[in-house]
Amino acid sequence: MSESKSGSVFAAGKAKWLLKNAEKLSEDERALLLAIIALEKDTGRELTPEEQKAIDELSAKTGDFRPDDIIDAVNQMVTAETTRHPVDEWPSAIHKIVKRKKQE
């Protein structure tokens, strides 16, 4: 990953915030954060010692979380066959709104 942390889960100061406030996050929020960080690590991002400490504490408070569970769920959502057919035309109400906006 690039040296810039602007695209990272850890913006400046977030590791410190997480160390102090991890218990304020819900179980689902902690699990999602851990999954995102696992993805960042898998793509080559190296955590600072402070970030690693925050993640270790977050993991301890999350219980039996497995990042693979979220990764599997996302993969299934992306690869699942759709049961609905795409709509070929916009509903008539949309046509009316667009026509009205053009007249304004």
Side-chain angles (χ1 to χ4, degrees), residues 32-100:
L32 183 57
L33 184 58
L34 286 170
I36 293 169
I37 292 165
L39 178 61
E40 282 192 1
K41 287 173 71 176
D42 287 349
T43 57
R45 167 120 159 49
E46 292 185 29
L47 298 177
T48 67
E50 183 178 48
E51 291 169 344
Q52 187 60 55
K53 182 178 177 185
I55 295 309
D56 292 344
E57 285 194 25
L58 188 65
S59 295
K61 294 177 182 176
T62 305
D64 61 345
F65 164 75
R66 290 177 353 130
D68 292 341
D69 293 341
I70 292 179
I71 292 168
D72 291 344
V74 169
N75 284 336
Q76 180 177 354
M77 286 177 39
V78 170
T79 60
E81 298 253 346
T82 182
T83 57
R84 292 178 31 178
H85 298 288
V87 178
D88 291 332
E89 292 186 25
W90 286 7
S92 60
I94 300 285
H95 289 293
K96 291 176 187 176
I97 293 170
V98 170
K99 186 176 180 180
R100 186 177 27 199

Side-chain angles (χ1 to χ4, degrees), residues 11-35:
K14 284 299 179 180
K16 285 182 183 178
W17 181 91
L18 190 57
L19 282 168
K20 293 178 185 175
N21 298 294
E23 68 279 349
K24 293 181 182 179
L25 298 174
S26 71
E27 185 80 11
D28 290 339
E29 290 170 330
R30 289 192 296 263
L32 183 57
L33 184 58
L34 286 170

